[in-house]
Amino acid sequence: MRIVLIGYRGAGKSTVARELATLLECDWVDADDEIEARAGKSIASIFADDGEGHFRDLETAVLRDLCARERIVLAAGGGAVLREENRDLLTAGGKIVWLRAAPETIIVRLRADAGTAARRPSLTGGGTEAEIAELLEQRTPIYRQCADVTVDTDPCAPAEVAAEILRQLKLDS
Ligand code: S3P
C-alpha cells in the first residue's frame, strides 16, 4: 500500500507522513527532500537558477521513482498534482489523501515554519496572502478530484490527522 499526501504548502504533509509511517511501520519520503538531494541545492535555488519548469521536470522524475515503491508514505509537494502525468503516477496503485487547510491556517503555519522558507519560493510574484488565495482557487478542484479521502487539518494535531487518515482508509483495526 502506498499512501500519498497532497495539499497546499503548510497543510502538514511531511509531519503527518512521518506520523503515519510510524503507525504503519513503513518508510516515508518527502518528495521535496528527494528533489533537493538530487539537484544538490535548495528548491529556491532551483527556481532561481533554472526556473519553475525545470523544477517541475525534476519533480516528475522523482515522483516516477517514488511511485514505483510499495509500503511507503509519500509527502508530495503542493504543486505535484498540477501535471496530468504526475496525477497518473500518484493515483496508480496509491491511496491519495488530501490534507486540507484554511488560508488563515496556512499563513500561520508558513510563518511559524521559517526554516523551510528556502523550499517555498514565490510562485506568482504576489504577496503571500494573495498567492495563497489565487493558488488555492486554482488547485482546490484538482486536490478534490485526486483525493480518495480528505482530512481537515485546521483543528487537529499531526497525530490526530494521521489517526483520522487510518480511520478513513479503514487501516486502523
Ligand atoms: C510548491 C510546494 C512546495 C515545493 C515547491 C513548489 C507548490 O512543497 O514543492 O516550493 O507549487 O505549491 P510543499 O507543499 O511541501 O511546501
Side-chain angles (χ1 to χ4, degrees):
M1 150 87 61
R2 181 169 55 256
I3 298 177
V4 181
L5 305 185
I6 63 169
Y8 197 75
R9 292 168 164 175
K13 299 178 297 275
S14 306
T15 314
V16 171
R18 188 167 47 234
E19 293 275 353
L20 204 50
T22 302
L23 294 173
L24 291 169
E25 298 181 348
C26 70
D27 292 336
W28 75 279
V29 183
D30 180 309
D32 288 339
D33 284 346
E34 193 63 29
I35 293 166
E36 289 184 328
R38 288 192 193 185
K41 53 186 170 183
S42 70
I43 290 173
S45 298
I46 301 170
F47 268 66
D49 298 347
D50 314 304
E52 181 175 351
H54 182 66
F55 168 80
R56 297 295 172 198
D57 289 343
L58 292 176
E59 183 173 52
T60 298
V62 161
L63 293 176
R64 177 168 292 105
D65 291 346
L66 294 178
C67 288
R69 290 175 60 178
E70 285 298 327
R71 282 197 53 73
I72 189 174
V73 180
L74 167 58
V81 295
L82 297 176
R83 284 188 177 179
E84 187 179 0
E85 185 181 359
N86 295 355
R87 295 197 291 275
D88 290 345
L89 286 167
L90 295 173
T91 52
K95 287 289 180 194
I96 309 286
V97 179
W98 174 24
L99 298 188
R100 194 161 56 186
E104 309 76 51
T105 308
I106 291 170
I107 290 166
V108 170
R109 289 187 189 154
L110 293 186
R111 288 200 177 128
D113 195 10
T116 58
R119 45 169 42 178
R120 294 183 172 132
S122 171
L123 296 164
T124 59
T128 308
E129 294 181 21
E131 177 166 295
I132 292 169
E134 180 182 336
L135 294 184
L136 276 182
E137 191 178 334
Q138 281 172 19
R139 294 180 180 181
T140 294
I142 309 176
Y143 292 137
R144 184 175 290 124
Q145 175 215 322
C146 293
D148 292 299
V149 302
T150 301
V151 177
D152 267 313
T153 67
D154 293 322
C156 300
E160 293 173 299
V161 175
E164 176 62 14
I165 292 170
L166 292 186
R167 199 186 63 74
Q168 289 202 34
L169 292 177
K170 302 192 180 5
L171 294 171
D172 60 345
S173 49

